[in-house]
Coordinates of all heavy atoms in Angstrom, one line a residue:
D11 N 55.7 130.5 -50.1 CA 55.6 131.9 -50.5 C 54.7 132.0 -51.7 O 55.1 131.6 -52.8 CB 57.0 132.4 -50.7 CG 56.9 133.9 -51.2 OD1 56.4 134.7 -50.5 OD2 57.5 134.1 -52.3
W12 N 53.5 132.5 -51.5 CA 52.5 132.5 -52.6 C 52.9 133.6 -53.7 O 52.5 133.4 -54.9 CB 51.1 132.7 -52.1 CG 50.9 134.0 -51.5 CD1 51.1 134.4 -50.2 CD2 50.4 135.2 -52.1 NE1 50.8 135.7 -50.0 CE2 50.3 136.2 -51.1 CE3 50.0 135.5 -53.4 CZ2 49.9 137.5 -51.4 CZ3 49.6 136.8 -53.7 CH2 49.6 137.8 -52.7
K13 N 53.6 134.6 -53.3 CA 53.9 135.7 -54.3 C 55.0 135.1 -55.3 O 54.8 135.4 -56.5 CB 54.5 136.9 -53.6 CG 53.5 137.7 -52.8 CD 54.1 138.9 -52.3 CE 53.0 139.7 -51.5 NZ 53.6 140.9 -50.8
G14 N 55.9 134.3 -54.8 CA 56.9 133.8 -55.7 C 56.3 132.7 -56.6 O 56.6 132.7 -57.8
F15 N 55.4 131.9 -56.1 CA 54.6 131.0 -56.9 C 53.8 131.7 -58.0 O 53.9 131.3 -59.1 CB 53.7 130.1 -56.0 CG 52.8 129.2 -56.8 CD1 53.3 128.1 -57.3 CD2 51.5 129.5 -57.0 CE1 52.5 127.2 -58.0 CE2 50.7 128.7 -57.7 CZ 51.2 127.5 -58.2
L16 N 53.2 132.8 -57.6 CA 52.3 133.5 -58.6 C 53.2 134.2 -59.6 O 52.9 134.1 -60.8 CB 51.5 134.6 -57.8 CG 50.4 135.3 -58.6 CD1 49.4 134.3 -59.1 CD2 49.8 136.3 -57.8
M17 N 54.3 134.7 -59.2 CA 55.2 135.3 -60.2 C 55.8 134.3 -61.2 O 56.0 134.6 -62.3 CB 56.3 136.1 -59.5 CG 55.8 137.3 -58.8 SD 54.8 138.4 -59.8 CE 56.0 139.1 -60.9
R18 N 56.1 133.1 -60.7 CA 56.7 132.1 -61.5 C 55.6 131.6 -62.5 O 55.9 131.3 -63.7 CB 57.2 130.9 -60.7 CG 58.5 131.1 -60.1 CD 59.1 129.8 -59.6 NE 58.3 129.2 -58.7 CZ 58.2 129.4 -57.4 NH1 58.9 130.3 -56.8 NH2 57.3 128.7 -56.6
R19 N 54.3 131.4 -62.0 CA 53.3 131.0 -62.9 C 52.8 132.0 -63.9 O 52.4 131.6 -65.0 CB 52.0 130.6 -62.1 CG 52.3 129.4 -61.1 CD 52.7 128.2 -61.8 NE 51.6 127.6 -62.6 CZ 51.8 126.7 -63.5 NH1 53.0 126.2 -63.8 NH2 50.8 126.3 -64.2
L20 N 52.9 133.3 -63.6 CA 52.5 134.3 -64.5 C 53.7 135.1 -65.0 O 53.8 136.3 -64.8 CB 51.5 135.3 -63.8 CG 50.2 134.8 -63.4 CD1 49.4 135.8 -62.6 CD2 49.4 134.3 -64.6
S21 N 54.6 134.3 -65.6 CA 55.8 135.0 -66.2 C 55.3 135.9 -67.3 O 54.3 135.8 -67.9 CB 56.7 133.9 -66.7 OG 56.1 133.2 -67.8
L22 N 56.2 136.8 -67.6 CA 55.9 137.9 -68.6 C 55.5 137.4 -69.9 O 54.6 137.7 -70.5 CB 57.1 138.9 -68.7 CG 56.8 140.1 -69.5 CD1 55.6 140.9 -68.8 CD2 58.0 141.0 -69.5
P23 N 56.3 136.4 -70.4 CA 55.9 135.8 -71.8 C 54.5 135.3 -71.8 O 53.7 135.4 -72.7 CB 56.9 134.8 -72.1 CG 58.1 135.2 -71.3 CD 57.6 135.8 -70.1
R24 N 54.1 134.6 -70.7 CA 52.8 134.0 -70.6 C 51.7 135.0 -70.5 O 50.6 134.9 -71.1 CB 52.7 133.1 -69.4 CG 51.5 132.2 -69.4 CD 51.5 131.2 -68.2 NE 52.5 130.2 -68.5 CZ 52.9 129.2 -67.7 NH1 52.3 129.2 -66.5 NH2 53.7 128.3 -68.0
V25 N 52.0 136.1 -69.8 CA 51.0 137.2 -69.7 C 50.8 137.9 -71.0 O 49.8 138.2 -71.5 CB 51.5 138.2 -68.6 CG1 50.6 139.5 -68.7 CG2 51.4 137.6 -67.2
W26 N 51.9 138.1 -71.7 CA 51.8 138.7 -73.1 C 51.1 137.9 -74.0 O 50.3 138.3 -74.9 CB 53.3 139.0 -73.6 CG 53.8 140.2 -73.0 CD1 54.8 140.4 -72.1 CD2 53.4 141.6 -73.3 NE1 55.0 141.7 -71.8 CE2 54.2 142.5 -72.5 CE3 52.4 142.2 -74.1 CZ2 54.0 143.9 -72.5 CZ3 52.2 143.5 -74.1 CH2 53.0 144.4 -73.3
R27 N 51.3 136.5 -74.0 CA 50.6 135.6 -74.8 C 49.1 135.7 -74.5 O 48.2 135.7 -75.5 CB 51.1 134.2 -74.7 CG 52.3 133.9 -75.5 CD 52.7 132.5 -75.4 NE 53.6 132.4 -74.3 CZ 53.9 131.3 -73.6 NH1 53.3 130.2 -73.8 NH2 54.8 131.4 -72.6
F28 N 48.7 135.7 -73.3 CA 47.3 135.8 -72.9 C 46.7 137.1 -73.4 O 45.6 137.1 -74.0 CB 47.1 135.7 -71.4 CG 45.7 135.9 -71.0 CD1 44.7 135.0 -71.1 CD2 45.4 137.1 -70.4 CE1 43.5 135.2 -70.7 CE2 44.1 137.4 -70.0 CZ 43.1 136.4 -70.2
A29 N 47.4 138.2 -73.2 CA 47.0 139.5 -73.6 C 46.8 139.6 -75.1 O 45.8 140.1 -75.6 CB 47.9 140.6 -73.2
L30 N 47.7 139.0 -75.9 CA 47.6 139.0 -77.3 C 46.4 138.2 -77.8 O 45.6 138.6 -78.7 CB 48.9 138.5 -77.9 CG 49.0 138.4 -79.5 CD1 48.8 139.8 -80.0 CD2 50.2 137.7 -79.9
L31 N 46.2 137.0 -77.2 CA 45.1 136.2 -77.6 C 43.8 136.9 -77.2 O 42.8 136.8 -78.0 CB 45.2 134.8 -77.0 CG 46.2 133.9 -77.5 CD1 46.3 132.6 -76.7 CD2 45.9 133.6 -79.0
F32 N 43.7 137.5 -76.1 CA 42.5 138.2 -75.7 C 42.2 139.3 -76.6 O 41.0 139.5 -77.1 CB 42.7 138.8 -74.3 CG 41.5 139.6 -73.8 CD1 40.3 139.0 -73.4 CD2 41.6 141.0 -73.8 CE1 39.3 139.7 -73.0 CE2 40.5 141.7 -73.4 CZ 39.3 141.1 -73.0
L33 N 43.2 140.2 -77.0 CA 43.0 141.3 -77.9 C 42.6 140.8 -79.3 O 41.7 141.4 -79.9 CB 44.2 142.2 -77.9 CG 44.4 143.0 -76.7 CD1 45.8 143.7 -76.8 CD2 43.3 144.0 -76.4
L34 N 43.2 139.8 -79.8 CA 42.8 139.2 -81.1 C 41.4 138.7 -81.1 O 40.6 139.0 -82.1 CB 43.8 138.1 -81.5 CG 45.2 138.6 -81.9 CD1 46.1 137.4 -82.2 CD2 45.1 139.5 -83.2
G35 N 41.0 138.0 -80.1 CA 39.7 137.5 -80.0 C 38.6 138.6 -79.8 O 37.6 138.6 -80.4
W36 N 39.0 139.6 -79.0 CA 38.1 140.7 -78.8 C 37.9 141.6 -80.0 O 36.8 142.0 -80.4 CB 38.7 141.6 -77.6 CG 37.8 142.7 -77.2 CD1 36.6 142.7 -76.6 CD2 38.1 144.1 -77.4 NE1 36.1 143.9 -76.4 CE2 37.0 144.8 -76.9 CE3 39.2 144.7 -77.9 CZ2 37.0 146.2 -76.9 CZ3 39.2 146.1 -77.9 CH2 38.1 146.8 -77.4
S37 N 39.0 141.8 -80.7 CA 38.9 142.7 -81.9 C 38.3 142.0 -83.1 O 37.7 142.7 -83.9 CB 40.3 143.2 -82.3 OG 41.1 142.2 -82.7
S38 N 38.4 140.7 -83.2 CA 37.8 140.0 -84.3 C 36.3 140.1 -84.3 O 35.6 140.1 -85.3 CB 38.3 138.6 -84.3 OG 37.7 137.8 -83.2
G39 N 35.7 140.3 -83.1 CA 34.2 140.4 -83.0 C 33.8 141.7 -83.6 O 32.6 141.8 -84.0
F40 N 34.6 142.7 -83.6 CA 34.3 144.0 -84.2 C 34.6 144.1 -85.7 O 34.0 144.9 -86.4 CB 35.0 145.1 -83.5 CG 34.6 145.3 -82.0 CD1 35.4 145.0 -81.0 CD2 33.3 145.9 -81.8 CE1 35.0 145.1 -79.7 CE2 32.9 146.1 -80.5 CZ 33.7 145.7 -79.4
C41 N 35.5 143.3 -86.1 CA 35.9 143.3 -87.6 C 34.9 142.5 -88.4 O 34.7 142.9 -89.6 CB 37.3 142.8 -87.7 SG 38.5 143.8 -86.9
L42 N 34.4 141.4 -87.9 CA 33.5 140.6 -88.7 C 32.1 141.1 -88.8 O 31.5 141.5 -87.7 CB 33.5 139.2 -88.2 CG 34.9 138.4 -88.2 CD1 34.7 137.1 -87.5 CD2 35.3 138.2 -89.6
P43 N 31.5 141.2 -89.9 CA 30.1 141.7 -90.0 C 29.2 140.6 -89.4 O 29.4 139.4 -89.6 CB 29.8 141.9 -91.5 CG 30.8 141.0 -92.1 CD 32.0 140.9 -91.2
L44 N 28.2 141.1 -88.6 CA 27.2 140.1 -88.0 C 26.1 139.9 -89.1 O 25.6 140.8 -89.7 CB 26.6 140.7 -86.8 CG 27.6 141.0 -85.6 CD1 26.9 141.7 -84.5 CD2 28.2 139.7 -85.2
A45 N 25.7 138.6 -89.2 CA 24.6 138.3 -90.1 C 23.3 138.7 -89.4 O 23.1 138.4 -88.2 CB 24.6 136.8 -90.3
R46 N 22.5 139.4 -90.1 CA 21.2 139.8 -89.6 C 20.1 138.8 -90.0 O 20.1 138.5 -91.2 CB 20.8 141.2 -90.1 CG 21.7 142.2 -89.6 CD 21.3 142.5 -88.2 NE 22.2 143.4 -87.5 CZ 21.8 144.4 -86.7 NH1 20.6 144.7 -86.7 NH2 22.8 145.1 -86.1
G47 N 19.3 138.3 -89.1 CA 18.3 137.4 -89.5 C 16.9 138.0 -89.4 O 16.6 138.9 -88.6
Q48 N 16.0 137.6 -90.3 CA 14.7 138.1 -90.3 C 13.8 136.9 -89.7 O 13.8 135.8 -90.2 CB 14.2 138.3 -91.7 CG 12.8 138.7 -91.9 CD 12.4 138.8 -93.3 OE1 13.1 138.3 -94.2 NE2 11.2 139.3 -93.6
L49 N 13.1 137.2 -88.6 CA 12.3 136.2 -88.0 C 11.1 135.8 -88.8 O 10.4 136.7 -89.4 CB 11.8 136.8 -86.7 CG 11.0 135.8 -85.8 CD1 11.8 134.6 -85.4 CD2 10.3 136.5 -84.7
I50 N 10.9 134.5 -89.0 CA 9.8 134.0 -89.9 C 8.7 133.6 -89.0 O 7.5 133.9 -89.2 CB 10.3 132.9 -90.8 CG1 11.3 133.5 -91.8 CG2 9.1 132.3 -91.6 CD1 12.0 132.4 -92.7
A51 N 9.1 132.7 -88.0 CA 8.0 132.2 -87.1 C 8.6 131.7 -85.8 O 9.9 131.5 -85.7 CB 7.3 131.0 -87.8
R52 N 7.8 131.5 -84.8 CA 8.2 131.0 -83.5 C 7.3 129.8 -83.1 O 6.1 129.8 -83.5 CB 8.1 132.0 -82.3 CG 9.0 133.2 -82.5 CD 8.9 134.1 -81.4 NE 9.7 133.8 -80.2 CZ 11.0 133.6 -80.1 NH1 11.7 133.7 -81.1 NH2 11.5 133.4 -78.9
Q53 N 7.9 128.8 -82.5 CA 7.2 127.7 -82.0 C 7.8 127.3 -80.6 O 8.8 126.7 -80.6 CB 7.3 126.5 -83.0 CG 6.8 125.2 -82.4 CD 5.3 125.2 -82.2 OE1 4.5 125.8 -83.0 NE2 4.8 124.7 -81.2
G54 N 7.1 127.7 -79.6 CA 7.6 127.4 -78.2 C 8.9 128.2 -78.1 O 9.0 129.4 -78.4
P55 N 10.0 127.6 -77.5 CA 11.2 128.3 -77.4 C 12.0 128.3 -78.7 O 13.1 128.9 -78.7 CB 11.9 127.5 -76.3 CG 11.4 126.2 -76.4 CD 9.9 126.3 -76.8
G56 N 11.6 127.6 -79.7 CA 12.3 127.6 -81.0 C 11.8 128.7 -81.9 O 10.7 129.2 -81.8
W57 N 12.7 128.9 -83.0 CA 12.3 129.9 -83.9 C 12.9 129.6 -85.3 O 13.9 128.9 -85.4 CB 12.6 131.4 -83.5 CG 14.0 131.7 -83.5 CD1 14.7 132.4 -84.4 CD2 14.9 131.5 -82.4 NE1 16.0 132.5 -84.0 CE2 16.2 132.0 -82.8 CE3 14.9 130.9 -81.1 CZ2 17.3 132.0 -82.0 CZ3 16.0 130.9 -80.3 CH2 17.2 131.4 -80.8
L58 N 12.3 130.1 -86.3 CA 12.8 130.0 -87.7 C 13.1 131.4 -88.2 O 12.3 132.3 -88.1 CB 11.7 129.4 -88.5 CG 12.1 129.2 -90.0 CD1 13.2 128.1 -90.2 CD2 10.8 128.6 -90.8
E59 N 14.3 131.6 -88.7 CA 14.7 132.9 -89.3 C 15.3 132.7 -90.6 O 15.7 131.6 -91.0 CB 15.6 133.6 -88.3 CG 16.9 133.0 -88.1 CD 17.8 133.8 -87.1 OE1 17.5 135.0 -86.9 OE2 18.7 133.2 -86.5
R60 N 15.4 133.8 -91.4 CA 16.1 133.8 -92.7 C 17.3 134.6 -92.6 O 17.3 135.8 -92.2 CB 15.2 134.3 -93.8 CG 15.7 134.1 -95.2 CD 14.7 134.4 -96.2 NE 13.5 133.6 -96.1 CZ 13.3 132.4 -96.5 NH1 14.3 131.7 -97.1 NH2 12.1 131.8 -96.4
I61 N 18.5 134.0 -92.8 CA 19.8 134.7 -92.8 C 20.5 134.6 -94.1 O 20.7 133.5 -94.6 CB 20.7 134.2 -91.7 CG1 20.1 134.3 -90.3 CG2 22.1 134.8 -91.7 CD1 20.9 133.6 -89.2
D62 N 20.7 135.7 -94.8 CA 21.3 135.8 -96.1 C 20.6 134.9 -97.1 O 21.2 134.3 -98.0 CB 22.8 135.4 -96.0 CG 23.6 136.3 -95.2 OD1 23.3 137.5 -95.2 OD2 24.7 135.9 -94.7
G63 N 19.2 134.8 -97.0 CA 18.4 134.1 -97.9 C 18.2 132.6 -97.5 O 17.5 131.9 -98.2
Y64 N 18.9 132.2 -96.5 CA 18.8 130.7 -96.1 C 18.0 130.6 -94.8 O 18.1 131.4 -93.9 CB 20.2 130.2 -95.8 CG 21.0 130.1 -97.0 CD1 22.1 131.0 -97.3 CD2 20.9 129.0 -98.0 CE1 22.9 131.0 -98.4 CE2 21.7 129.0 -99.1 CZ 22.7 129.9 -99.3 OH 23.5 129.9 -100.4
P65 N 17.0 129.6 -94.8 CA 16.3 129.5 -93.6 C 17.1 128.8 -92.5 O 17.8 127.8 -92.8 CB 15.1 128.5 -94.0 CG 15.6 127.9 -95.2 CD 16.6 128.8 -95.9
V66 N 17.1 129.3 -91.3 CA 17.9 128.8 -90.2 C 16.9 128.4 -89.1 O 16.2 129.3 -88.6 CB 19.0 129.8 -89.7 CG1 19.7 129.2 -88.6 CG2 19.9 130.1 -90.9
L67 N 16.9 127.2 -88.6 CA 16.0 126.7 -87.6 C 16.8 126.6 -86.2 O 17.8 126.0 -86.2 CB 15.5 125.4 -88.0 CG 14.5 124.7 -87.0 CD1 13.3 125.5 -86.8 CD2 14.2 123.3 -87.5
H68 N 16.2 127.2 -85.2 CA 16.8 127.1 -83.9 C 15.8 126.4 -83.0 O 14.6 126.8 -82.9 CB 17.0 128.5 -83.3 CG 17.9 129.4 -84.1 ND1 19.3 129.4 -83.9 CD2 17.6 130.3 -85.1 CE1 19.8 130.3 -84.8 NE2 18.8 130.8 -85.5
V69 N 16.2 125.3 -82.3 CA 15.3 124.6 -81.5 C 15.9 124.5 -80.1 O 17.1 124.5 -79.9 CB 15.1 123.1 -82.1 CG1 14.3 123.2 -83.3 CG2 16.4 122.4 -82.3
K70 N 15.0 124.3 -79.1 CA 15.4 124.2 -77.7 C 14.5 123.3 -77.0 O 13.3 123.2 -77.4 CB 15.4 125.6 -77.0 CG 16.5 126.6 -77.4 CD 16.4 127.8 -76.6 CE 17.5 128.8 -77.0 NZ 17.4 130.0 -76.2
G71 N 15.0 122.7 -75.9 CA 14.1 121.8 -75.1 C 14.5 120.4 -75.1 O 15.6 120.0 -75.4
T72 N 13.6 119.5 -74.7 CA 13.8 118.1 -74.7 C 13.9 117.6 -76.2 O 13.5 118.3 -77.1 CB 12.7 117.3 -74.0 OG1 11.5 117.5 -74.6 CG2 12.6 117.9 -72.5
H73 N 14.2 116.3 -76.3 CA 14.3 115.7 -77.6 C 12.9 115.8 -78.3 O 12.8 116.1 -79.5 CB 14.8 114.3 -77.6 CG 16.2 114.2 -77.1 ND1 17.3 114.7 -77.8 CD2 16.7 113.6 -76.0 CE1 18.4 114.5 -77.2 NE2 18.1 113.8 -76.1
Y74 N 11.9 115.5 -77.5 CA 10.5 115.5 -78.1 C 10.2 116.9 -78.5 O 9.6 117.1 -79.6 CB 9.6 115.0 -77.0 CG 8.1 115.0 -77.5 CD1 7.6 114.0 -78.3 CD2 7.3 116.1 -77.2 CE1 6.3 114.0 -78.8 CE2 6.0 116.1 -77.6 CZ 5.5 115.1 -78.4 OH 4.2 115.1 -78.8
E75 N 10.4 117.9 -77.6 CA 10.1 119.3 -77.9 C 10.8 119.8 -79.2 O 10.2 120.5 -80.0 CB 10.4 120.2 -76.7 CG 9.4 119.9 -75.5 CD 9.9 120.6 -74.3 OE1 11.1 121.0 -74.2 OE2 9.1 120.8 -73.4
M76 N 12.1 119.4 -79.3 CA 12.9 119.9 -80.4 C 12.3 119.3 -81.7 O 12.3 119.9 -82.8 CB 14.3 119.6 -80.2 CG 15.0 120.4 -79.2 SD 16.8 120.2 -79.1 CE 17.0 118.6 -78.5
G77 N 11.9 118.0 -81.6 CA 11.4 117.3 -82.8 C 10.0 117.9 -83.2 O 9.8 118.1 -84.4
Y78 N 9.2 118.3 -82.2 CA 7.9 118.9 -82.5 C 8.2 120.3 -83.2 O 7.5 120.7 -84.1 CB 7.1 119.1 -81.3 CG 5.7 119.6 -81.5 CD1 4.7 118.8 -82.1 CD2 5.4 120.9 -81.2 CE1 3.5 119.3 -82.3 CE2 4.2 121.5 -81.4 CZ 3.2 120.6 -82.0 OH 1.9 121.1 -82.2
Q79 N 9.1 121.1 -82.6 CA 9.4 122.4 -83.2 C 9.9 122.2 -84.6 O 9.5 123.0 -85.5 CB 10.5 123.1 -82.4 CG 10.0 123.5 -81.0 CD 11.2 123.8 -80.1 OE1 12.3 124.1 -80.5 NE2 10.9 123.7 -78.8
Q80 N 10.8 121.2 -84.9 CA 11.3 121.1 -86.2 C 10.1 120.7 -87.2 O 10.1 121.2 -88.3 CB 12.3 120.0 -86.2 CG 12.9 119.7 -87.6 CD 13.8 118.5 -87.7 OE1 14.0 117.8 -86.7 NE2 14.4 118.3 -88.8
F81 N 9.2 119.8 -86.8 CA 8.1 119.4 -87.6 C 7.2 120.6 -87.9 O 6.9 120.9 -89.1 CB 7.3 118.4 -86.9 CG 6.0 118.0 -87.6 CD1 6.1 117.2 -88.7 CD2 4.8 118.4 -87.2 CE1 4.9 116.8 -89.4 CE2 3.6 118.2 -87.8 CZ 3.7 117.4 -88.9
E82 N 6.9 121.4 -86.9 CA 6.0 122.5 -87.1 C 6.6 123.6 -88.0 O 6.0 124.2 -88.8 CB 5.5 123.1 -85.8 CG 4.6 122.2 -85.0 CD 3.2 122.1 -85.7 OE1 2.7 123.1 -86.3 OE2 2.6 121.0 -85.6
L83 N 7.8 124.0 -87.7 CA 8.4 125.1 -88.4 C 8.9 124.7 -89.8 O 8.8 125.5 -90.7 CB 9.7 125.6 -87.6 CG 9.3 126.3 -86.3 CD1 10.6 126.5 -85.4 CD2 8.5 127.5 -86.5
N84 N 9.2 123.4 -90.0 CA 9.5 123.0 -91.4 C 8.3 122.9 -92.2 O 8.2 123.2 -93.4 CB 10.3 121.7 -91.4 CG 11.7 121.8 -91.1 OD1 12.3 122.9 -91.4 ND2 12.3 120.8 -90.6
A85 N 7.1 122.5 -91.5 CA 5.9 122.5 -92.3 C 5.5 123.9 -92.7 O 4.9 124.0 -93.7 CB 4.8 121.9 -91.3
L86 N 5.8 124.9 -91.9 CA 5.5 126.3 -92.3 C 6.3 126.7 -93.5 O 5.7 127.4 -94.4 CB 5.8 127.2 -91.1 CG 5.6 128.7 -91.3 CD1 4.1 128.9 -91.3 CD2 6.2 129.5 -90.3
L87 N 7.5 126.2 -93.6 CA 8.3 126.5 -94.8 C 7.7 125.9 -96.1 O 7.9 126.4 -97.1 CB 9.7 126.0 -94.6 CG 10.7 127.0 -93.9 CD1 12.1 126.3 -93.8 CD2 10.8 128.3 -94.6
Q88 N 7.1 124.7 -95.9 CA 6.6 124.0 -97.1 C 5.3 124.6 -97.6 O 5.0 124.4 -98.8 CB 6.3 122.6 -96.7 CG 7.6 121.8 -96.3 CD 8.7 121.8 -97.2 OE1 8.5 121.7 -98.4 NE2 9.9 122.1 -96.8
R89 N 4.6 125.4 -96.8 CA 3.3 126.0 -97.2 C 3.7 127.2 -98.2 O 4.7 127.7 -98.3 CB 2.6 126.6 -96.0 CG 2.1 125.5 -95.1 CD 1.3 126.1 -94.0 NE 1.3 125.2 -92.9 CZ 1.3 125.6 -91.6 NH1 1.4 126.9 -91.3 NH2 1.3 124.7 -90.7
R90 N 2.7 127.5 -99.0 CA 2.8 128.6 -99.9 C 2.8 129.9 -99.2 O 2.2 130.0 -98.1 CB 1.7 128.6 -100.9 CG 1.8 127.4 -101.9 CD 0.7 127.4 -102.8 NE -0.5 127.0 -102.1 CZ -1.6 126.7 -102.5 NH1 -1.9 126.7 -103.8 NH2 -2.6 126.3 -101.8
P91 N 3.5 130.9 -99.7 CA 3.6 132.2 -99.0 C 2.3 132.8 -98.6 O 2.1 133.4 -97.5 CB 4.4 133.1 -99.9 CG 5.1 132.2 -100.9 CD 4.3 131.0 -100.9
E92 N 1.2 132.7 -99.4 CA -0.1 133.3 -99.1 C -0.7 132.6 -97.9 O -1.5 133.1 -97.2 CB -1.0 133.4 -100.2 CG -1.3 132.0 -100.9 CD -0.3 131.6 -101.9 OE1 0.7 132.3 -102.1 OE2 -0.6 130.6 -102.6
E93 N -0.4 131.3 -97.7 CA -0.9 130.6 -96.6 C -0.2 130.8 -95.2 O -0.7 130.6 -94.2 CB -0.9 129.1 -96.8 CG -1.8 128.6 -97.9 CD -1.7 127.1 -98.3 OE1 -0.8 126.5 -97.6 OE2 -2.4 126.6 -99.1
R94 N 1.0 131.3 -95.3 CA 1.8 131.6 -94.1 C 1.3 132.8 -93.4 O 1.2 132.8 -92.2 CB 3.3 131.9 -94.5 CG 4.1 130.7 -94.8 CD 5.5 131.1 -94.9 NE 6.0 130.3 -96.0 CZ 7.0 130.6 -96.8 NH1 7.6 131.8 -96.6 NH2 7.4 129.8 -97.8
N95 N 0.9 133.8 -94.1 CA 0.4 135.0 -93.5 C -1.0 135.4 -94.0 O -1.2 136.2 -94.9 CB 1.3 136.3 -93.8 CG 2.7 136.0 -93.2 OD1 2.8 135.5 -92.1 ND2 3.7 136.4 -93.9
P96 N -2.1 134.7 -93.5 CA -3.4 134.9 -94.0 C -3.8 136.4 -93.7 O -3.5 137.0 -92.7 CB -4.3 133.9 -93.3 CG -3.5 133.5 -92.1 CD -2.0 133.8 -92.4
A97 N -4.6 136.9 -94.6 CA -5.1 138.3 -94.5 C -6.1 138.3 -93.3 O -7.0 137.4 -93.2 CB -5.7 138.8 -95.7
P98 N -6.2 139.4 -92.5 CA -7.2 139.4 -91.4 C -8.5 139.7 -91.9 O -8.9 140.1 -92.9 CB -6.6 140.6 -90.5 CG -5.7 141.3 -91.3 CD -5.2 140.4 -92.5

């Protein structure tokens, strides 16, 4: 009898625990402020952004591609600000 099995597995305390955890997890996403990042540069699928004044590097791809993105985007950080955005 699958109904009896289902009712035993989804007992009321277990359902309440699941609902409470779901609501706590769902509501915490609305309570915490999201950090806003300012995009600095892109390299392939990776990008460099500034969040709360700190540079944050995101890399994607194979190990080689991630290493290349890290090299290029970190080199951009080392340059002086006037060299980053040359005037047209």
Side-chain angles (χ1 to χ4, degrees):
D11 177 55
W12 65 274
K13 288 183 183 178
F15 173 76
L16 189 60
M17 291 307 291
R18 282 192 307 273
R19 296 299 294 164
L20 294 175
S21 64
L22 190 59
R24 192 174 286 176
V25 170
W26 280 108
R27 277 185 266 156
F28 174 75
L30 181 62
L31 288 175
F32 175 76
L33 288 174
L34 286 175
W36 182 69
S37 65
S38 66
F40 292 107
C41 296
L42 297 175
L44 297 176
R46 292 283 170 133
Q48 176 189 10
L49 182 66
I50 297 173
R52 293 185 80 60
Q53 172 64 41
W57 70 95
L58 178 65
E59 65 180 337
R60 190 170 304 279
I61 299 177
D62 295 332
Y64 295 100
V66 178
L67 178 63
H68 303 269
V69 292
K70 291 183 179 179
T72 65
H73 295 297
Y74 179 82
E75 292 168 340
M76 290 189 292
Y78 185 76
Q79 293 164 21
Q80 180 185 7
F81 173 77
E82 289 292 325
L83 293 171
N84 279 336
L86 181 72
L87 274 180
Q88 301 302 319
R89 295 185 201 140
R90 288 179 289 192
E92 60 271 7
E93 292 177 358
R94 282 188 219 150
N95 299 320

